[in-house]
Amino acid sequence: MASAPPSASLRAALMMVVCCAFVALSTFLAKALGGGVSGEPMHAFQIVLGRYFFALVPFAALMLWRRTGLRGAPWRLYVGRSAVGWVGIASLFTAVSMIPLADATAISFLNPVFAMILAIFFLGERVGPVRWLAALIALSGGAVLIRPGFGAIEPGALIALFGACFMAIEVMFAKLLARRDDLIRLLFGTNLLATIIAAITASFVWRAPTWEEVALLALVGLTMMTAQTLFMAALKITDASFATPFFYSTLIFAALYDAIWFKVIPAPISFLGAGLIVAGAALLALRDAKAGKSRPPAPMPPVEGG
């Protein structure tokens, strides 16, 4: 993509920052529901169902408006992406109920590193020393947040790490789908299948939500759908290499929401771990862009919507 004019770059930067605010807000709302902010804590499986269902509705309306059909859709890839995406988001929503929102968000940023490693084996990509260095920096930050050797390992951090691995697998599916399918149909199809998966799993832990919880669940889905829209719109008018650094402002919003509502202030070791992860992931994304692989960062499957 050619360099964007200054006005377009400014719009893209603003869209990415607002996107990050919505991404962090969606995860914050999931944490609030999981923590029982409106009464009894809600299981992560039920929150994930709300996230997918309320994001699906606008995409369904857009499909009808565009009269986009599903004939010839790569359903096997849709199923694969939806399944691993569900695991990734369910893990993230579980993790945020156990550890600070900023820590869980930072650990989720490891997924581009895992995606890089998977791409070596499944997509035949070649990885040079700079990308391996970036991966090592990011993984060291993950180790700091998980805190091995500093007493009991944080279970929530391990769950977030588990989710990041599945987010990386989702990136593999996204790469394959991007080569052969329309974006709106892709988002509709994967959200539809993920909603079905989420409905089945939520049935095992289901309890009737209050109207207040329904409203919060709707906000979880709609804020993430808004983030998806802003994310893709920004990448249409600027290079991924320019947009990538702004995406990591998600951490700032996550820490801010946690501090304002839950009175949780990140510990110094959290700043260190998050800083290393962001540095490594950003270096990896910038290196990919410089190598002519300009592609959006994939630190959050919720943004991708699979």
Side-chain angles (χ1 to χ4, degrees):
M1 178 185 292
S3 297
S7 59
S9 295
L10 178 59
R11 290 201 310 274
L14 290 174
M15 282 190 286
M16 286 299 291
V17 171
V18 177
C19 165
C20 293
F22 278 108
V23 168
L25 179 58
S26 182
T27 313
F28 163 75
L29 292 169
K31 177 172 182 171
L33 284 163
V37 68
S38 59
E40 181 184 353
M42 180 174 285
H43 197 283
F45 288 2
Q46 198 166 348
I47 302 172
V48 173
L49 173 59
R51 174 259 179 269
Y52 278 118
F53 175 77
F54 287 107
L56 173 65
V57 172
F59 285 127
L62 188 56
M63 286 281 287
L64 289 172
W65 179 71
R66 294 181 59 192
R67 298 182 180 179
T68 303
L70 292 172
R71 179 176 296 179
W75 288 106
R76 290 185 180 180
L77 291 177
Y78 279 9
V79 171
R81 187 186 182 197
S82 299
V84 297
W86 177 88
V87 175
I89 294 178
S91 300
L92 177 62
F93 284 2
T94 299
V96 296
S97 68
M98 303 170 68
I99 60 176
L101 186 61
D103 285 7
T105 302
I107 292 173
S108 75
F109 286 166
L110 285 171
N111 87 72
V113 176
F114 297 139
M116 180 199 81
I117 296 172
L118 289 172
I120 297 173
F121 298 100
F122 296 103
L123 299 180
E125 292 188 5
R126 301 183 66 179
V127 177
V130 175
R131 295 179 74 194
W132 278 118
L133 175 62
L136 182 62
I137 293 171
L139 289 172
S140 66
V144 169
L145 289 180
I146 295 172
R147 295 167 171 77
F150 293 92
I153 292 178
E154 290 279 0
L158 289 179
I159 293 173
L161 185 65
F162 178 77
C165 293
F166 275 84
M167 293 176 195
I169 299 173
E170 186 188 9
V171 172
M172 297 297 99
F173 281 104
K175 287 181 178 181
L176 293 172
L177 283 164
R179 299 170 183 171
R180 64 178 72 185
D181 207 8
D182 173 74
L183 175 63
I184 298 301
R185 188 170 77 163
L186 164 61
L187 291 173
F188 170 77
T190 51
N191 273 283
L192 173 63
L193 291 172
T195 298
I196 295 172
I197 295 170
I200 294 171
T201 53
S203 67
F204 294 100
V205 296
W206 181 265
R207 68 166 176 81
T210 66
W211 286 111
E212 181 182 1
E213 288 173 328
V214 171
L216 290 175
L217 287 170
L219 284 174
V220 171
L222 293 175
T223 51
M224 192 54 69
M225 190 229 36
T226 303
Q228 288 176 334
T229 304
L230 290 167
F231 185 83
M232 298 310 300
L235 291 174
K236 280 186 177 181
I237 61 176
T238 192
D239 294 330
S241 58
F242 174 81
T244 293
F246 295 99
F247 192 87
Y248 295 101
S249 63
T250 305
L251 271 175
I252 298 174
F253 289 106
L256 183 63
Y257 298 154
D258 238 1
I260 292 174
W261 187 265
F262 295 107
K263 311 301 181 186
V264 174
I265 306 299
I269 196 170
S270 294
F271 284 111
L272 173 62
L276 288 170
I277 290 174
V278 169
L283 176 60
L284 179 61
L286 293 172
R287 176 61 178 174
D288 285 347
K290 184 177 180 180
K293 302 174 182 178
S294 186
R295 56 195 179 208
M300 288 240 324
V303 174
E304 293 295 325

